[in-house]
């Protein structure tokens, strides 16, 4: 019989703590040298929307999940913390076309004209 049930309490709570564990990883990246348990206790003190019997129970549940997912969460946090590359204006970059910008301005002015013709005249003089 391979269908034998294991003894004791079932593993896992089924609660989704991804949001909190992501916050832990972000806090650890932002504060180098911070241990994950310390980051967890800080987040438990800051937030009240965690679902556990006590703050200690929440931290303990997060610790178990961190041991499984921690490395991946830290890698994702490091990726999020990296500065985004700045788009350079060069030979091969595409600048917005002025005709597109003019079309947007014309649509906006038409909407104002249809809604409030009196104020439209003042806007049209600044065009």
């Amino acid at each position: 019989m391979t269908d034998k049930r294991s003894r004791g309490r079932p593993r896992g709570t089924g609660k989704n703590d991804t949001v909190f564990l992501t916050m832990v990883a972000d806090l650890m990246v932002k504060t180098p040298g911070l241990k994950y348990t310390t980051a967890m206790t800080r987040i438990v003190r800051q937030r009240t929307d965690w679902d556990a019997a006590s703050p200690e129970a929440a931290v303990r549940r997060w610790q178990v999940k961190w041991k499984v997912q921690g490395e991946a969460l830290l890698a994702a946090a490091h990726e999020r913390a990296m500065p985004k590359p700045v788009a350079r204006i060069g030979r091969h970059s595409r600048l917005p076309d002025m005709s597109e910008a003019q079309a947007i301005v014309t649509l906006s002015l038409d909407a104002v004209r249809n809604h409030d013709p009196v104020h439209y005249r003042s806007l049209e003089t600044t065009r």
Side-chain angles (χ1 to χ4, degrees):
M1 289 182 115
T2 58
D3 297 347
K4 187 175 180 181
R5 285 180 32 189
S6 61
R7 297 177 61 179
R9 188 175 184 164
R11 288 185 117 2
T13 60
K15 295 181 181 177
N16 188 1
D17 292 320
T18 307
V19 172
F20 301 111
L21 294 175
T22 302
M23 292 171 65
V24 169
D26 289 338
L27 186 59
M28 289 175 65
V29 168
K30 194 183 339 179
T31 313
L34 188 67
K35 304 290 184 194
Y36 66 89
T37 303
T38 308
M40 289 175 188
T41 55
R42 286 185 188 177
I43 290 172
V44 162
R45 288 180 187 151
Q46 291 173 357
R47 307 275 303 242
T48 57
D49 55 342
W50 40 266
D51 183 25
S54 66
E56 294 80 16
V59 169
R60 182 66 192 127
R61 185 176 73 223
W62 295 351
Q63 285 173 332
V64 171
K65 292 180 180 183
W66 184 264
K67 289 185 180 179
V68 175
Q69 306 170 6
E71 287 184 32
L73 290 167
L74 269 178
H78 280 291
E79 193 70 30
R80 282 190 302 276
M82 291 186 71
K84 305 293 183 252
V86 177
R88 296 186 174 207
I89 299 174
R91 263 180 37 190
H92 302 290
S93 65
R94 181 182 179 276
L95 294 175
D97 192 6
M98 283 305 289
S99 61
E100 293 174 18
Q102 272 185 323
I104 292 170
V105 169
T106 303
L107 283 173
S108 301
L109 287 175
D110 288 343
V112 171
R113 182 186 64 227
N114 294 337
H115 180 70
D116 191 1
V118 174
H119 289 107
Y120 172 75
R121 282 187 225 108
S122 63
L123 284 174
E124 193 176 39
T125 59
T126 61
R127 195 174 187 191

